[in-house]
Amino acid sequence: VLSKNTNMDQGVSEIVPNEVYANHVKLFGKWNCDEISVDDISLVDYIPIKGKAAKYLPHTAGRYQVKRFRKALCPIVERLACSLMMHGRNNGKKLMTVRIVKHTFEIIHLL
């Protein structure tokens, strides 16, 4: 995107590029979602990673279980975090499970 900058005192006009910033959605601010691909054709529709499913944090508070097959639209990392909230003592502790998932991804990244 270019803009024309006109200086009236000297009658000089120059073209100055406008800086355009595009923030790519990165999970936890570190991992780019565009680098991930699902190779299995049968799972592409059920493992959402890109597009609307790309989130900064896996905590959308969405109601994905209202309709049949809507949980297929839920980001896969959020489904992982929600599946960790099981067995009584962990019920409802989503912030704890998001932290656990973040630490797990950092350990996997180091390996």
Side-chain angles (χ1 to χ4, degrees):
V1 177
L2 300 174
S3 65
K4 192 171 185 180
N5 187 7
T6 306
N7 191 348
M8 294 301 219
D9 297 335
Q10 300 171 350
V12 177
S13 66
E14 58 187 57
I15 297 175
V16 180
N18 287 339
E19 294 186 24
V20 178
Y21 297 104
N23 293 333
H24 297 287
V25 177
K26 293 186 176 182
L27 183 64
F28 297 116
K30 294 183 180 182
W31 296 285
N32 195 355
C33 297
D34 295 332
E35 298 172 359
I36 302 170
S37 65
V38 179
D39 296 330
D40 193 357
I41 294 174
S42 63
L43 296 176
V44 170
D45 295 333
Y46 299 105
I47 300 180
I49 299 169
K50 300 175 185 173
K52 284 182 151 183
K55 304 290 181 193
Y56 293 101
L57 287 174
H59 195 303
T60 61
R63 295 172 51 197
Y64 294 105
Q65 280 71 29
V66 174
K67 282 191 174 182
R68 186 178 185 196
F69 295 114
R70 191 177 290 175
K71 68 179 175 183
L73 303 175
C74 181
I76 191 69
V77 181
E78 184 172 0
R79 290 187 69 185
L80 172 67
C82 290
S83 68
L84 290 175
M85 292 191 305
M86 301 287 180
H87 300 298
R89 64 182 183 171
N90 296 327
N91 282 352
K93 297 180 183 176
K94 193 163 188 179
L95 294 178
M96 181 185 74
T97 59
V98 168
R99 183 178 48 84
I100 290 170
V101 169
K102 180 179 178 182
H103 291 314
T104 306
F105 283 171
E106 289 175 358
I107 290 171
I108 292 171
H109 180 72
L110 291 175
L111 298 177

